[in-house]
mmCIF file of all heavy atoms in Angstrom:
data_model
loop_
_atom_site.group_PDB
_atom_site.id
_atom_site.type_symbol
_atom_site.label_atom_id
_atom_site.label_comp_id
_atom_site.label_asym_id
_atom_site.label_seq_id
_atom_site.Cartn_x
_atom_site.Cartn_y
_atom_site.Cartn_z
ATOM 1 N N CYS A 340 29.601 6.296 16.652
ATOM 2 C CA CYS A 340 29.913 5.030 17.234
ATOM 3 C C CYS A 340 28.745 4.531 18.139
ATOM 4 O O CYS A 340 28.247 5.299 18.938
ATOM 5 C CB CYS A 340 31.185 4.979 17.853
ATOM 6 S SG CYS A 340 31.520 3.359 18.602
ATOM 7 N N TYR A 341 28.484 3.268 18.058
ATOM 8 C CA TYR A 341 27.449 2.684 18.902
ATOM 9 C C TYR A 341 27.866 2.840 20.367
ATOM 10 O O TYR A 341 26.990 2.871 21.288
ATOM 11 C CB TYR A 341 27.167 1.211 18.575
ATOM 12 C CG TYR A 341 28.464 0.397 18.438
ATOM 13 C CD1 TYR A 341 29.141 -0.075 19.665
ATOM 14 C CD2 TYR A 341 29.003 0.084 17.270
ATOM 15 C CE1 TYR A 341 30.317 -0.736 19.540
ATOM 16 C CE2 TYR A 341 30.213 -0.536 17.189
ATOM 17 C CZ TYR A 341 30.870 -0.988 18.276
ATOM 18 O OH TYR A 341 32.004 -1.720 18.193
ATOM 19 N N ALA A 342 29.149 2.920 20.621
ATOM 20 C CA ALA A 342 29.590 3.054 22.111
ATOM 21 C C ALA A 342 29.119 4.337 22.696
ATOM 22 O O ALA A 342 29.026 4.475 23.840
ATOM 23 C CB ALA A 342 31.125 2.900 22.100
ATOM 24 N N CYS A 359 32.586 -0.826 24.224
ATOM 25 C CA CYS A 359 33.390 -0.763 23.008
ATOM 26 C C CYS A 359 33.921 -2.122 22.662
ATOM 27 O O CYS A 359 34.239 -2.941 23.617
ATOM 28 C CB CYS A 359 34.465 0.161 23.149
ATOM 29 S SG CYS A 359 35.890 0.076 22.043
ATOM 30 N N THR A 360 33.849 -2.568 21.337
ATOM 31 C CA THR A 360 34.300 -3.860 20.974
ATOM 32 C C THR A 360 35.904 -3.969 20.733
ATOM 33 O O THR A 360 36.387 -5.032 20.375
ATOM 34 C CB THR A 360 33.674 -4.395 19.708
ATOM 35 O OG1 THR A 360 33.777 -3.349 18.774
ATOM 36 C CG2 THR A 360 32.249 -4.735 20.035
ATOM 37 N N SER A 361 36.564 -2.856 20.878
ATOM 38 C CA SER A 361 38.065 -3.000 20.548
ATOM 39 C C SER A 361 38.885 -2.648 21.831
ATOM 40 O O SER A 361 40.024 -2.209 21.565
ATOM 41 C CB SER A 361 38.366 -2.089 19.324
ATOM 42 O OG SER A 361 38.565 -0.751 19.727
ATOM 43 N N TRP A 389 31.216 7.104 28.302
ATOM 44 C CA TRP A 389 31.046 6.708 26.989
ATOM 45 C C TRP A 389 29.938 7.518 26.255
ATOM 46 O O TRP A 389 29.965 7.833 25.081
ATOM 47 C CB TRP A 389 30.717 5.162 26.812
ATOM 48 C CG TRP A 389 31.959 4.427 27.286
ATOM 49 C CD1 TRP A 389 32.109 4.055 28.521
ATOM 50 C CD2 TRP A 389 33.025 3.920 26.527
ATOM 51 N NE1 TRP A 389 33.267 3.250 28.653
ATOM 52 C CE2 TRP A 389 33.868 3.226 27.383
ATOM 53 C CE3 TRP A 389 33.410 3.998 25.219
ATOM 54 C CZ2 TRP A 389 35.043 2.622 26.950
ATOM 55 C CZ3 TRP A 389 34.570 3.450 24.764
ATOM 56 C CH2 TRP A 389 35.386 2.749 25.705
ATOM 57 N N HIS A 413 32.364 10.134 17.327
ATOM 58 C CA HIS A 413 33.005 9.312 16.379
ATOM 59 C C HIS A 413 33.726 8.140 17.096
ATOM 60 O O HIS A 413 33.584 7.002 16.748
ATOM 61 C CB HIS A 413 34.004 10.135 15.603
ATOM 62 C CG HIS A 413 35.104 9.417 14.950
ATOM 63 N ND1 HIS A 413 34.765 8.447 13.985
ATOM 64 C CD2 HIS A 413 36.365 9.428 15.080
ATOM 65 C CE1 HIS A 413 35.951 7.906 13.596
ATOM 66 N NE2 HIS A 413 36.973 8.495 14.173
ATOM 67 N N CYS A 414 34.535 8.405 18.062
ATOM 68 C CA CYS A 414 35.248 7.325 18.761
ATOM 69 C C CYS A 414 35.415 7.760 20.250
ATOM 70 O O CYS A 414 36.407 8.269 20.685
ATOM 71 C CB CYS A 414 36.573 6.995 18.182
ATOM 72 S SG CYS A 414 37.435 5.698 19.123
ATOM 73 N N PRO A 415 34.362 7.446 21.134
ATOM 74 C CA PRO A 415 34.529 7.853 22.501
ATOM 75 C C PRO A 415 35.678 7.188 23.233
ATOM 76 O O PRO A 415 36.190 7.729 24.167
ATOM 77 C CB PRO A 415 33.146 7.385 23.154
ATOM 78 C CG PRO A 415 32.415 6.586 22.113
ATOM 79 C CD PRO A 415 33.135 6.845 20.779
ATOM 80 N N LYS A 416 36.179 6.063 22.742
ATOM 81 C CA LYS A 416 37.355 5.350 23.334
ATOM 82 C C LYS A 416 38.531 6.326 23.446
ATOM 83 O O LYS A 416 39.219 6.315 24.393
ATOM 84 C CB LYS A 416 37.652 4.085 22.640
ATOM 85 C CG LYS A 416 38.799 3.405 23.228
ATOM 86 C CD LYS A 416 39.195 2.111 22.430
ATOM 87 C CE LYS A 416 40.356 2.437 21.569
ATOM 88 N NZ LYS A 416 40.925 1.214 20.936
ATOM 89 N N ILE A 417 38.680 7.110 22.327
ATOM 90 C CA ILE A 417 39.925 7.994 22.328
ATOM 91 C C ILE A 417 39.809 8.985 23.482
ATOM 92 O O ILE A 417 40.756 9.318 24.206
ATOM 93 C CB ILE A 417 39.960 8.749 21.009
ATOM 94 C CG1 ILE A 417 40.168 7.750 19.891
ATOM 95 C CG2 ILE A 417 41.137 9.722 21.030
ATOM 96 C CD1 ILE A 417 40.207 8.289 18.465
HETATM 97 S S1 SF4 B 504 34.723 3.598 20.769
HETATM 98 FE FE1 SF4 B 504 36.102 3.844 19.109
HETATM 99 S S2 SF4 B 504 37.360 1.957 19.225
HETATM 100 FE FE2 SF4 B 504 35.529 1.556 20.443
HETATM 101 S S3 SF4 B 504 34.005 0.681 18.941
HETATM 102 FE FE3 SF4 B 504 33.629 2.958 18.912
HETATM 103 S S4 SF4 B 504 34.984 3.623 17.214
HETATM 104 FE FE4 SF4 B 504 35.676 1.605 17.782
#
Side-chain angles (χ1 to χ4, degrees):
C340 176
Y341 50 79
C359 163
T360 51
S361 80
W389 297 86
H413 161 59
C414 179
K416 184 183 94 173
I417 298 175

